Amino acid sequence: MRGTVDGFTHGPVILALAFLVACLGAAVGLRCAIRPPRTARAGHPPAAHPPAAGKGRSSGTVRLLFGALSVGFGIWIMHHVAITGFTVVEAPLSRDRPHVLIGLVVVVVMAGVGLFVVGYRGATRMALITGGALTGLGIASTHYLGMAGIRFQGHFTYETPLVVLSVLIAATAATAALRAALSTRTLLSGLGAGAMMALAVTGMHYTGMAALGVQLQPGAPAVVSADPPAD
């Protein structure tokens, strides 16, 4: 028996606030961890500021850690709010806390590695692709770990092409956000980079949800509505 999915029980206002939190968290984290590159010379690609020795290196590490936490928490909050607003109409759901916490750790670590690659290796195409791919995989991982932690009398199925598309959306939008962060010199452009990262999270999440199917076990107890019957 197929279940009926409702992914918007929180309503649009809560989701809009979660998107805003993800946007601001990404903007702050990207601004903190990635500094704009020096002006390129003719025939040479722009290079990011290298980490300085001693106190400068320590400061760069702190900035990177803070940036990873800010970006990672923003991504995780958006996913967590969206997933807690997900229901299966015919079955009660519960959520496994370890999966939720592991998803948070994974996205913070993956975002940190992506920021490190771009912030310390420079504005090269390979650094952007690598950093964006790692960050996108972190976004996708926290989503699918969260979904794996949902417990009910049944199981989920996924359409593989849409799952692959969701990961590609996350990686592509995350790469665009990292590229924008490298040219960020004003508050407005920083918010633009943060919005791109929030779009990576949102696009990945709802594409992943579009790939989802629900199969209920025979005899699973149905959820009884508390609303009075219509006359």
Side-chain angles (χ1 to χ4, degrees):
M1 175 183 174
R2 291 186 64 85
T4 305
V5 171
D6 183 355
F8 298 93
T9 58
H10 284 327
V13 174
I14 299 299
L15 289 176
L17 289 174
F19 180 89
L20 181 61
V21 169
C23 177
L24 293 176
V28 171
L30 291 171
R31 179 100 176 163
C32 182
I34 299 180
R35 299 167 65 187
R38 295 191 179 101
T39 304
R41 293 181 297 169
H44 296 275
H49 290 273
K55 185 177 179 180
R57 188 183 298 273
S58 175
S59 175
T61 301
V62 172
R63 289 167 63 92
L64 175 63
L65 289 174
F66 183 82
L69 287 170
S70 183
V71 173
F73 267 99
I75 291 170
W76 179 81
I77 287 171
M78 177 67 202
H79 273 304
H80 186 63
V81 170
I83 285 179
T84 55
F86 165 79
T87 60
V88 177
V89 174
E90 298 86 357
L93 305 179
S94 62
R95 291 170 175 84
D96 183 33
R97 184 172 296 178
H99 280 79
V100 174
L101 297 178
I102 292 171
L104 173 59
V105 172
V106 167
V107 74
V108 169
V109 170
M110 296 291 278
V113 175
L115 291 171
F116 174 81
V117 170
V118 175
Y120 284 77
R121 296 296 296 175
T124 64
R125 178 178 299 179
M126 184 55 65
L128 284 169
I129 292 174
T130 303
L134 290 170
T135 305
L137 286 173
I139 293 170
S141 296
T142 195
H143 170 81
Y144 289 110
L145 280 167
M147 295 302 296
I150 294 178
R151 302 285 180 257
F152 67 106
Q153 291 193 5
H155 64 275
F156 293 134
T157 61
Y158 290 95
E159 296 182 27
T160 302
L162 285 177
V163 171
V164 173
L165 178 60
S166 73
V167 177
L168 290 176
I169 289 173
T172 302
T175 301
L178 293 172
R179 180 66 185 89
L182 284 168
S183 59
T184 294
R185 288 177 173 83
T186 66
L187 177 61
L188 185 60
S189 59
L191 290 175
M196 289 182 189
M197 189 67 78
L199 285 172
V201 182
T202 307
M204 184 277 128
H205 176 85
Y206 287 107
T207 304
M209 285 302 191
L212 182 71
V214 176
Q215 293 293 332
L216 299 174
Q217 292 179 358
V223 174
V224 178
S225 174
D227 296 332
D231 293 334

